[in-house]
Amino acid sequence: MNQTALERDRNDPLLPLRAQFELPPGPDAMPVSYLCGHSLGPLVRQTRALLEAELEAWGEMGILGYGKNPHPWMRYAHDLRPTLARLVGARADEVAVMNSLTVNLHVLLARFYQPQGRRRKILIDAPIFPSDRMAVSSQIAWRGGDPLVDLIVIEPDPGEWVVRPDAFVEAIRQAGDTLALVWVGGVNYLSGHLQPLGRLARAAHEHGALCGTDLAHAIGNVALNLDRDEVDFATWCSYKYLNGGPGAVGGLFVRSPSPEAAPHPALQGWWGHEEKTRFLMGPDFRPEEGALGFAVSNVPVLSTTPLHAALPLFDQYPFAQLAEKRESLIGYTIARIEDLALPGISCITPLGAGKHGGQLSFAIGQDWPWGESLIRALAGRGVIADWREPHILRVAFHPLYNGFEDAERFVEGLTRIIRPGL
Ligand SMILES: Cc1ncc(COP(=O)(O)O)c(C=O)c1O
């Protein structure tokens, strides 16, 4: 093992956080280098005890668990809002925990996609996560539009993997007064590119359109400032960089000048109704203030519990410190890979300040024999990465549980697979 990596881990003040995670065992029964936080974050140890406590409460108290302490089920997700708000750069009343990402996108579009006259188009960037495109297309069709006409997809330039911000802004300008809204992946799921959300939101607003963003790959990964950037709405899932567990409950953000002035939701359900009169069981809907009004159903307690274990970890250190470590891990990995000049592999993630988060994506030469089996070969060496079509290897470094040794194991593993003689 490279001494520099070991040395840097020894000097890492965030290293103790790693012990808070259960990392799966590798072939040598030692914890793997888990570089898949962009897909599913690992288990936070404390989750087991908290889940056990909720099951205990359910068994012992039944319905009375809705009023128990701490974390009464009635307001089970409320305590999570300050941390989430800090992570997305918003006020706590502008965020809420509910549903999963695609469902939240539908909930948000039902409210914010209001095609009128010429203004009917939605602009998205490619490559976009398929579920987002499906949701957006179906919303257009549901409003009587034609996705072939009303959906504008801006593609990267030929030979490139990311839509450059200038091209994005130009596409917004060209759409002009036909544009209803822009929907953009904050951090692109394939390339790991971080878009300048403030710039895109301002460009959308200049042309009378709204701007929303998918934060699946951004929350807990990059510093966000949705209020400053004047993003209108956003949603995320919690199972990636937030470590909320498979299929964990997601969240959304709705910008508003004050809690009372928050936009009213289009879709109504009892959990979005104000708490103080919810159980009067009346027929009329009066939304809870802020983003909570967008809730439709009651909170899934057991799928929210892991977040009570995971989110406090983000409160232990300033986010800037996490970001600094993430940058060092990325810098280290890239420098090592460049040094080795590995053939048939090129980084497609734009590098440089503000252009990426913890994910690195590598295009693997198509004439190269490994393809997806590269992932299995890496796993055999105790490194968990993933593969996305067409031929992209993705790894992510999470400052809460990854260290330089993980980066080194990845680089070494890749080298031995690609150049066995080295
Ligand atoms: C960028 C992005 N958007 C949307 C989704 C879909 O999320 P969900 O299944 O929670 O709706 C994912 C899932 O991985 C994703 O990565």
Side-chain angles (χ1 to χ4, degrees):
M1 178 60 58
N2 180 307
Q3 287 308 309
T4 320
L6 295 176
E7 185 66 26
R8 290 185 79 166
D9 276 343
R10 268 198 295 276
N11 294 330
D12 172 15
L14 299 175
L15 196 65
L17 284 167
R18 184 178 169 96
Q20 313 250 12
F21 289 83
E22 286 187 27
L23 300 167
D28 57 359
M30 296 301 284
V32 289
S33 287
Y34 195 84
L35 304 182
C36 234
H38 57 280
S39 185
L40 175 70
L43 174 65
V44 177
R45 279 189 199 285
Q46 176 71 358
T47 307
R48 289 183 190 272
L50 295 191
L51 271 174
E52 192 54 47
E54 295 308 341
L55 292 173
E56 185 74 17
W58 183 15
E60 293 291 315
M61 303 176 79
I63 187 68
L64 298 181
Y66 276 89
K68 74 175 173 58
N69 264 315
H71 308 314
W73 296 337
M74 185 65 75
R75 325 189 82 230
Y76 193 64
H78 284 29
D79 303 353
L80 302 172
R81 297 167 79 206
T83 306
L84 289 169
R86 196 168 60 75
L87 290 177
V88 300
R91 296 192 315 269
D93 61 271
E94 291 176 305
V95 301
V97 173
M98 64 184 76
N99 307 317
S100 38
L101 193 157
T102 314
V103 175
N104 283 334
L105 178 51
H106 279 295
V107 167
L108 290 165
L109 289 175
R111 171 62 181 82
F112 293 108
Y113 179 51
Q114 307 278 350
Q116 264 169 11
R118 274 169 61 73
R119 197 177 282 289
R120 325 188 58 81
K121 293 191 192 285
I122 300 183
L123 176 64
I124 59 174
D125 58 324
I128 190 173
F129 197 81
S131 196
D132 291 41
R133 187 173 179 144
M134 291 166 196
V136 166
S137 297
S138 62
Q139 287 277 340
I140 290 174
W142 191 37
R143 300 291 184 128
D146 178 354
L148 290 177
V149 177
D150 294 332
L151 183 64
I152 309 172
V153 185
I154 168 165
E155 306 271 352
D157 286 341
E160 300 207 354
W161 289 93
V162 302
V163 172
R164 290 170 189 261
D166 286 347
F168 215 135
V169 169
E170 176 55 20
I172 293 172
R173 193 193 64 73
Q174 279 180 18
D177 67 357
T178 68
L179 193 61
L181 62 88
V182 173
W183 179 250
V184 54
V187 170
N188 187 275
Y189 84 98
L190 192 63
S191 64
H193 178 215
L194 167 61
Q195 286 286 2
L197 294 175
R199 192 169 165 213
L200 299 184
R202 273 190 298 281
H205 294 163
E206 268 165 34
H207 294 281
L210 298 176
C211 181
T213 179
D214 174 337
L215 299 179
H217 291 258
I219 189 166
N221 176 21
V222 294
L224 293 162
N225 210 328
L226 298 183
D227 273 340
R228 182 204 62 197
D229 288 344
E230 299 185 18
V231 172
D232 298 291
F233 57 96
T235 176
W236 55 87
C237 54
S238 308
Y239 39 81
K240 299 180 189 292
Y241 295 91
L242 296 186
N243 312 301
V249 65
L252 57 69
F253 157 87
V254 174
R255 186 158 67 95
S256 63
S258 68
E260 315 80 56
H264 280 200
L267 304 181
Q268 303 178 357
W270 74 318
W271 226 254
H273 184 89
E274 62 173 9
E275 193 182 313
K276 64 175 188 265
T277 58
R278 185 178 298 146
F279 284 89
L280 296 180
M281 307 311 249
D284 297 327
F285 179 75
R286 197 175 311 142
E288 185 63 281
E289 284 179 356
L292 288 179
F294 283 72
V296 178
S297 294
N298 71 94
V299 178
V301 168
L302 298 179
S303 103
T304 306
T305 301
L307 286 176
H308 281 287
L311 289 189
L313 299 181
F314 285 92
D315 294 329
Q316 293 187 17
Y317 293 89
F319 196 80
Q321 192 175 352
L322 302 184
E324 193 183 314
K325 176 173 169 189
R326 182 201 69 208
E327 280 307 294
S328 306
L329 288 166
I330 293 281
Y332 179 91
T333 309
I334 289 295
R336 291 281 289 129
I337 286 185
E338 280 173 359
D339 263 6
L340 290 160
L342 298 177
I345 167 164
S346 56
C347 180
I348 65 164
T349 307
L351 299 170
K355 290 189 180 166
H356 62 88
Q359 179 180 328
L360 287 176
S361 301
F362 298 93
I364 303 298
Q366 278 161 308
D367 49 349
W368 205 56
W370 285 93
E372 195 172 352
S373 65
L374 176 60
I375 299 306
R376 288 189 290 281
L378 280 169
R381 296 177 171 276
V383 178
I384 304 300
D386 80 357
W387 181 265
R388 279 285 172 269
E389 295 303 331
H391 46 91
I392 304 296
L393 165 71
R394 302 188 303 177
V395 288
F397 295 94
H398 199 313
L400 291 183
Y401 54 83
N402 288 132
F404 294 88
E405 192 180 337
D406 295 323
E408 190 56 36
R409 280 174 86 184
F410 167 62
V411 176
E412 264 185 32
L414 206 53
T415 311
R416 299 222 186 283
I417 296 163
I418 298 178
R419 287 181 149 183
L422 210 70

